[in-house]
Amino acid sequence: MKILIIKLASLGDVLHATPLVRSLASSHEVYFLTFKGHEKLLMNNPHLKRVFTLHQMDSWMVLPWRLVLNALVILRLCFARIDISINLHKKYILNKLMKGIGIKNRFGLLKEGDDSSEAGLSDGIVFNQKEHHILQHLKFAELCKTAPRGTAMEYVPCQRKMILPVQAPYMVLCAGGGKNKWASMSNKVWPKENFVELIRMLGETVQVVLIGGSQDLALHQESIRTLSPRTVHDFTNQLDFDELFYLIKGSKLYLGNDSFLLHFASTTNVSTLGLFGPTKGTLLSPLGARDYFIQSSADCSPCYDANQALQSSSYSCADNQCMKQLSVKTVYEKVGSILTIPEG
């Protein structure tokens, strides 16, 4: 059977779909539809037959040209003769599009109370906020009569290992996150003062390497002004996915807020520690044996409601007490237990 998985965005969510890709590939040909730019996470994935990319319709200047390009992608999907589509979004227009190009069996996520046929689906799985998102995705493997093959996310770099100017032992850290092209949940971020204090407490026991995107540059530059250049190295917005992969893989630990880089770090099999406040670690944190998370103990945590998406109260919270109440001591002790730093 030819199966098309649809996960357009964002980067972390695309990685969440990779356990389903691996599971289905044991018995079927698997294709993937995502947004342009996100396919870089999938290009070397050995379980995928082909990746199709749609251009985002976010600029009136290039809208006519992107409409043409997207129409060509839909035409290619028609010629691919897909047997089953699996829509990992709760956007029913995608199901109707798949029906329009001739896909008879359409599986996908449903909002609670909705009917499969009304959503344009042959069969659906009701999305819930009790099971981890990856585990919910893997239910589609069972619908396709295929046994799940683990929950580990995958990123496959090129075979050439990068040599980066950082000496072991070191840990990798991103103090930012919470932003993507479609939304900004800045209250996911642990206060930068806490990250600075944590690095000071670690001292020279381990070097710290900072990574992140362009949106994290100012935060990191401001944070490291008072820190020793002997123990802190800043590679923010300097590395591609392969370089990030090998940098993290050579480290002792990745530490960060709930963001794409936390999930990406998990693909390296290095220990990860995620900090969660508005979002729920039991639903979103990586599921590997070496993946850990700390959930804020604040009464309001977690407050993010995936069913409400951008209308969730977490996007309008102006004072993220959940992250502020996550103490440096708590994080330091957990980092110490992972790195086996002796108590001072």
Side-chain angles (χ1 to χ4, degrees), residues 75-93:
L75 186 61
R76 293 189 190 105
L77 282 171
C78 291
F79 284 113
R81 298 184 181 278
I82 302 295
D83 299 296
I84 298 172
S85 64
I86 298 176
N87 179 14
L88 298 181
H89 295 279
K90 300 184 290 294
K91 295 185 181 299
Y92 300 156
I93 190 172

Side-chain angles (χ1 to χ4, degrees), residues 175-179 183-191 195 257-258 275-279 295-296 300-304 312-326:
K179 294 182 180 180
S184 175
M185 196 189 296
S186 57
N187 53 12
K188 278 184 177 182
V189 176
W190 202 39
F195 277 111
N257 304 299
D258 173 23
L275 307 181
F276 286 78
T279 53
Q295 183 77 48
S296 171
C300 58
S301 174
C303 63
Y304 175 65
S312 176
S313 60
S314 54
Y315 283 102
S316 58
C317 174
D319 184 19
N320 61 338
Q321 283 298 314
C322 56
M323 297 303 283
K324 291 176 181 177
Q325 290 182 28
L326 192 54

Side-chain angles (χ1 to χ4, degrees), residues 2 120 180 236 314-315:
K2 294 181 178 181
N180 59 42
T236 309
S314 54
Y315 283 102

Side-chain angles (χ1 to χ4, degrees), residues 6-304:
I6 305 169
K7 192 64 182 179
L8 301 179
S10 55
L11 290 170
D13 295 323
V14 170
L15 284 179
H16 272 191
T18 55
L20 176 60
V21 169
R22 181 177 59 248
S23 299
L24 292 171
S26 62
S27 305
H28 308 283
E29 284 188 7
V30 184
Y31 300 76
F32 206 104
L33 178 63
T34 190
F35 275 144
K36 187 72 175 174
H38 293 53
E39 81 280 3
K40 295 176 183 178
L41 291 174
L42 305 168
M43 294 309 295
N44 294 327
N45 192 310
H47 307 299
L48 282 169
K49 184 75 173 178
R50 183 174 177 182
V51 179
F52 296 91
T53 58
L54 289 175
H55 287 263
Q56 300 162 42
M57 309 304 289
D58 58 354
S59 172
W60 288 104
M61 295 293 291
V62 294
L63 184 58
W65 179 236
R66 290 185 177 181
L67 278 170
V68 172
L69 293 175
N70 285 348
L72 290 174
V73 172
I74 300 304
L75 186 61
R76 293 189 190 105
L77 282 171
C78 291
F79 284 113
R81 298 184 181 278
I82 302 295
D83 299 296
I84 298 172
S85 64
I86 298 176
N87 179 14
L88 298 181
H89 295 279
K90 300 184 290 294
K91 295 185 181 299
Y92 300 156
I93 190 172
L94 292 170
N95 305 326
K96 296 170 184 177
L97 177 61
M98 294 303 107
K99 182 178 181 180
I101 65 175
I103 300 177
K104 293 183 178 180
N105 297 301
R106 299 171 306 281
F107 302 151
L109 292 174
L110 285 168
K111 300 173 186 176
E112 190 172 349
D114 287 357
D115 178 78
S116 293
S117 59
E118 293 179 358
L121 295 171
S122 309
D123 201 349
I125 291 172
V126 178
F127 176 81
N128 68 77
Q129 297 193 82
K130 295 180 180 179
E131 292 177 284
H132 196 285
H133 292 184
I134 290 175
L135 297 179
Q136 295 187 61
H137 292 168
L138 288 174
K139 291 180 179 179
F140 290 109
E142 297 171 4
L143 278 181
C144 296
K145 298 179 170 44
T146 305
R149 296 181 61 195
T151 58
M153 293 176 285
E154 285 186 284
Y155 172 76
V156 182
C158 67
Q159 296 302 310
R160 182 170 61 89
K161 185 174 181 179
M162 315 295 181
I163 306 299
L164 296 166
V166 183
Q167 294 183 350
Y170 64 91
M171 62 179 282
V172 180
L173 184 153
C174 179
K179 294 182 180 180
N180 59 42
K181 191 176 183 67
W182 298 271
S184 175
M185 196 189 296
S186 57
N187 53 12
K188 278 184 177 182
V189 176
W190 202 39
K192 72 175 186 298
E193 296 81 7
N194 290 3
F195 277 111
V196 170
E197 181 60 26
L198 174 68
I199 295 171
R200 284 205 183 99
M201 291 174 71
L202 290 169
E204 297 189 5
T205 57
V206 61
Q207 295 184 79
V208 174
V209 178
L210 299 176
I211 62 172
S214 57
Q215 71 274 15
D216 304 313
L217 268 172
L219 173 65
H220 284 173
Q221 288 172 355
E222 185 178 349
S223 300
I224 64 176
R225 282 175 186 165
T226 60
L227 296 170
S228 169
R230 293 180 314 219
T231 57
V232 181
H233 309 272
D234 189 5
F235 286 101
T236 309
N237 202 38
Q238 298 180 37
L239 308 177
D240 61 26
F241 286 147
D242 281 359
E243 291 169 326
L244 283 171
F245 181 90
Y246 287 117
L247 176 68
I248 297 171
K249 191 172 180 62
S251 72
K252 303 284 288 182
L253 168 70
Y254 172 83
L255 169 67
N257 304 299
D258 173 23
S259 66
F260 159 67
L261 284 173
L262 174 65
H263 308 292
F264 184 82
S266 177
T267 69
T268 70
N269 288 324
V270 163
S271 295
T272 69
L273 177 58
L275 307 181
F276 286 78
T279 53
K280 194 171 184 178
T282 54
L283 298 183
L284 294 167
S285 179
L287 291 171
R290 302 177 68 182
D291 294 316
Y292 307 91
F293 72 90
I294 302 174
Q295 183 77 48
S296 171
S297 59
D299 293 339
C300 58
S301 174
C303 63
Y304 175 65

